[in-house]
Amino acid sequence: MNKQQIKICCIGAGYVGGPTMAVIADKCKNLIIKVVDINQKRIDDWNNEDLSCLPVFEPGLAEIVGRTRNKNLFFTSKIEESIMESDIVFMSVNTPIKQKGIGAGKASDLRWVESSARQIASASVGHTIVVEKSTLPVKTAYTIKNILNSYSNNESGKTPKKTFSVLSNPEFLAEGTAINDLLFPDRVLIGGDNTKAINLLRDIYLNWVPAEKIISTNLWSSELSKLTANAFLAQRISSINSISAVCEVTGADIHEVSKAVGTDTRIGAKFLHPGPGFGGSCFKKDILNLVYLCNYYGLDQVANFWEEVVKINDWQKDRIYKIIVEKLFGNLANKKLSILGFAFKANTNDTRESPAISICADLINEGAKLVIHDPKVDEESIIGDIKNYLRNKNLPFYDCGLEFEKDIYNSVEESDAIIILTEWEDYSNLNWQKISRSMRKPGWVFDTRNIIQIEKVKSSGLNIWCLGVGI
Ligand code: NAD
Ligand code: UGA
């Protein structure tokens, strides 16, 4: 294969496919990259002349797309044609949890992986390197190879035989820091059994990633490492959140504990911030996928160990909601609560699995009226998320329990309590004197992210409860 002419197709123009291919295109001007999707609107949005309207918001992304789009990076819905002319095809499609049938609620729904494998099998020409970019259950490469080879074996002999190499190259970027994570990755992982294919992909990354950060493993180690990395990260959050509850009843302070524990270089300080529970599209689904895998292989103790990380996460959300109810005299009927933040973390408009969903829905179910403020999340997503949650629990949803406000100070007027659920910068330096004057008394502030100055809230006459501190 001539390096000068390498052509790449990425199936899936989502949160991973778009930014990842944009960075590769920017760093490897000799490559031609086509990002394809079955969702025409997504493709149109990626091609929007106004770079502030791209379908994914990430700091630094619009600039990179502006430099590369229609030069060596193309967003198109011509899937077959793009696969046909490519040497390397990345699969970057969604892999949510299966909703029904065997493994429902835990196993990955692989229908999009299978359909893209079939698209590749049918449209490819000659030798194609197929790269798993999606997060997948261990042994998915086996399924993909099976599908690909079944097409290759069916050749009539009139055209040259199709051949395939399958690699696993999971993505470790986090939302809000995706571009930085792609430019300066802690590591790039390439799993496979074909040295030539591994080296070709390695050469692409070598354009900007130091050689010592590129790790090669076998296919199954690579697939399992991605699930394990997410499980470990989530486990750290559940660990510190479980200790936050112990702090509240003993008088210890979670920040002091977190610092004292995290300064041990063997443990490290990152991912020890307590909060209302981890959200985001992947932690829960990837752990449950690991749990399913362990159960499948009869490793029930291992499965139970990891499942506990998700259970503690659900418990954290539940106990926060119950503390709020208890502090407000056990009654939320006719009370107005101001919710500050709905996104699963700051600097994103993504609400998938946000802890705000269950906390808000449970408060509404208690009879509270919520006024929600979030700088980036739109009303439709919030209503949809809360409705879904209540529907799944067979609970009713009344529109009257929900209002939205774009101005923080308007949102807290006449309110009985303020509940901070996302660590947006805007919430860390509020005028508490002004807020206190406009609230109903006794007014409460619940800070689940520990971003406000406790003394300022106290001196304004409001009551305060901080996660892991308990005051
Ligand atoms: P996404 O839903 O944003 O994007 C997936 C895209 O694939 C969708 O636009 C969908 O229309 C498209 N698609 C599905 N089947 C297709 C097909 N057959 N042909 C063409 N297009 C098709 O998902 P995402 O957030 O980009 O995640 C993709 C994968 O990456 C998942 O496995 C996820 O676990 C993993 N991952 C996600 C993140 C993250 O932060 N979002 C980080 C690391 C890994
Ligand atoms: C996470 C991982 O960090 C990425 O490496 C991985 O690629 C990605 O999942 C994935 O596979 O999808 P992401 O979910 O975007 O990235 O964001 P994180 O920064 O990991 O935050 C996840 C959740 O944990 C958020 O709700 C956040 O508020 C919470 N969190 C994080 C804490 O409560 N405390 C912390 O110390 C860190």
Side-chain angles (χ1 to χ4, degrees):
M1 234 176 255
N2 181 346
K3 261 202 228 173
Q4 295 306 112
Q5 297 169 344
I6 290 176
K7 290 192 173 138
I8 291 179
C9 170
C10 174
I11 305 180
Y15 192 88
V16 168
T20 308
M21 293 304 127
V23 167
I24 296 181
D26 202 32
K27 292 293 176 185
C28 312
K29 299 282 190 293
N30 57 323
L31 301 177
I32 302 288
I33 303 180
K34 294 199 174 165
V35 186
V36 299
D37 207 293
I38 38 173
N39 181 340
Q40 183 63 50
K41 178 165 183 332
R42 245 192 179 168
I43 293 298
D44 294 343
D45 288 345
W46 279 111
N47 283 321
N48 196 318
E49 281 197 15
D50 180 354
L51 288 167
S52 67
C53 295
L54 297 179
V56 170
F57 168 74
E58 277 296 329
L61 174 64
E63 290 83 346
I64 296 179
V65 172
R67 280 201 293 276
T68 51
R69 196 174 57 187
N70 298 330
K71 294 192 177 89
N72 67 332
L73 177 69
F74 302 88
F75 294 95
T76 169
S77 43
K78 293 181 181 164
I79 301 179
E80 267 191 29
E81 185 186 305
S82 306
I83 293 173
M84 197 182 297
E85 61 192 29
S86 291
D87 307 297
I88 305 176
V89 181
F90 284 85
M91 291 166 107
S92 194
V93 297
N94 36 320
T95 52
I97 294 175
K98 228 177 139 182
Q99 294 300 324
K100 50 185 181 179
I102 297 168
K106 281 194 181 138
S108 291
D109 188 341
L110 292 177
R111 75 179 79 178
W112 293 275
V113 173
E114 182 168 340
S115 70
S116 33
R118 288 182 190 279
Q119 283 165 330
I120 299 168
S122 137
S124 64
V125 174
H127 187 72
T128 308
I129 298 172
V130 178
V131 184
E132 298 175 343
K133 201 44 146 166
S134 299
T135 304
L136 298 169
V138 185
K139 297 275 180 186
T140 305
Y142 178 77
T143 309
I144 294 173
K145 279 183 183 180
N146 227 312
I147 293 169
L148 297 173
N149 290 334
S150 68
Y151 280 69
S152 128
N153 292 338
N154 283 343
E155 284 295 325
S156 61
K158 286 183 192 149
T159 48
K161 197 170 158 57
K162 297 176 190 211
T163 52
F164 303 95
S165 305
V166 178
L167 300 178
S168 159
N169 174 221
E171 185 46 62
F172 294 96
L173 65 79
E175 293 189 25
T177 54
I179 298 303
N180 197 63
D181 296 341
L182 287 163
L183 290 175
F184 308 102
D186 285 342
R187 79 310 214 173
V188 165
L189 184 54
I190 303 177
D193 46 24
N194 180 318
T195 313
K196 208 172 154 196
I198 293 173
N199 285 341
L200 194 75
L201 187 57
R202 193 169 179 274
D203 283 346
I204 291 174
Y205 282 109
L206 278 174
N207 282 289
W208 79 99
V209 180
E212 65 275 14
K213 291 199 167 185
I214 305 178
I215 304 171
S216 297
T217 65
N218 74 34
L219 274 167
W220 322 129
S221 303
S222 176
E223 290 176 338
L224 182 58
S225 298
K226 172 62 194 176
L227 294 184
T228 309
N230 274 1
F232 270 52
L233 289 169
Q235 174 263 319
R236 280 176 72 92
I237 301 167
S238 280
S239 296
I240 202 70
N241 282 345
S242 71
I243 300 300
S244 72
V246 182
C247 286
E248 288 160 26
V249 292
T250 56
D253 180 321
I254 193 65
H255 304 105
E256 294 175 352
V257 175
S258 173
K259 190 173 176 190
V261 171
T263 42
D264 185 326
T265 52
R266 293 169 302 175
I267 296 173
K270 290 183 181 168
F271 262 69
L272 286 184
H273 303 293
F278 57 76
S281 63
C282 294
F283 279 171
K284 184 177 171 187
K285 92 168 162 62
D286 292 347
I287 294 179
L288 291 178
N289 195 343
L290 183 62
V291 168
Y292 182 74
L293 185 86
C294 295
N295 282 140
Y296 177 82
Y297 285 108
L299 300 168
D300 293 345
Q301 286 81 355
V302 185
N304 294 344
F305 173 77
W306 287 110
E307 194 162 16
E308 215 49 48
V309 172
V310 175
K311 286 186 185 164
I312 288 279
N313 197 52
D314 288 339
W315 176 76
Q316 181 79 341
K317 295 182 261 188
D318 192 53
R319 82 179 187 89
I320 287 172
Y321 135 70
K322 285 178 176 151
I323 285 170
I324 295 168
V325 177
E326 186 212 310
K327 297 277 186 204
L328 298 178
F329 311 120
N331 166 44
L332 297 190
N334 301 319
K335 286 193 177 144
K336 176 176 161 182
L337 309 186
S338 305
I339 305 295
L340 297 188
F342 200 86
F344 82 96
K345 66 190 265 195
N347 300 320
T348 176
N349 60 350
D350 195 342
T351 63
R352 289 179 288 180
E353 297 293 337
S354 175
I357 300 171
S358 68
I359 294 174
C360 288
D362 288 338
L363 293 172
I364 290 177
N365 191 49
E366 286 283 338
K369 187 175 183 97
L370 303 190
V371 182
I372 301 184
H373 174 278
D374 189 287
K376 284 271 179 207
V377 180
D378 58 57
E379 294 176 18
E380 259 173 56
S381 311
I382 296 175
I383 294 172
D385 287 337
I386 292 178
K387 262 188 187 167
N388 271 344
Y389 177 89
L390 289 170
R391 191 184 307 122
N392 290 339
K393 293 206 146 195
N394 287 322
L395 294 170
F397 170 76
Y398 305 105
D399 281 341
C400 54
L402 210 48
E403 270 179 29
F404 301 93
E405 182 53 68
K406 279 290 162 204
D407 179 86
I408 301 175
Y409 293 97
N410 286 347
S411 79
V412 300
E413 261 176 40
E414 285 301 313
S415 147
D416 293 278
I418 294 172
I419 303 155
I420 298 175
L421 293 179
T422 312
E423 71 282 23
W424 287 104
E425 179 85 41
D426 301 8
Y427 305 148
S428 58
N429 211 5
L430 295 169
N431 182 340
W432 288 105
Q433 294 292 341
K434 181 176 168 185
I435 289 175
S436 177
R437 280 195 297 275
S438 71
M439 285 177 72
R440 244 176 31 140
K441 302 294 176 321
W444 272 92
V445 179
F446 298 90
D447 182 5
T448 70
R449 296 282 186 170
N450 289 301
I451 54 165
I452 58 176
Q453 290 143 312
I454 296 174
E455 286 315 316
K456 285 195 177 168
V457 177
K458 274 186 175 172
S459 64
S460 76
L462 294 169
N463 299 298
I464 181 162
W465 177 88
C466 292
L467 183 82
V469 185
I471 48 158

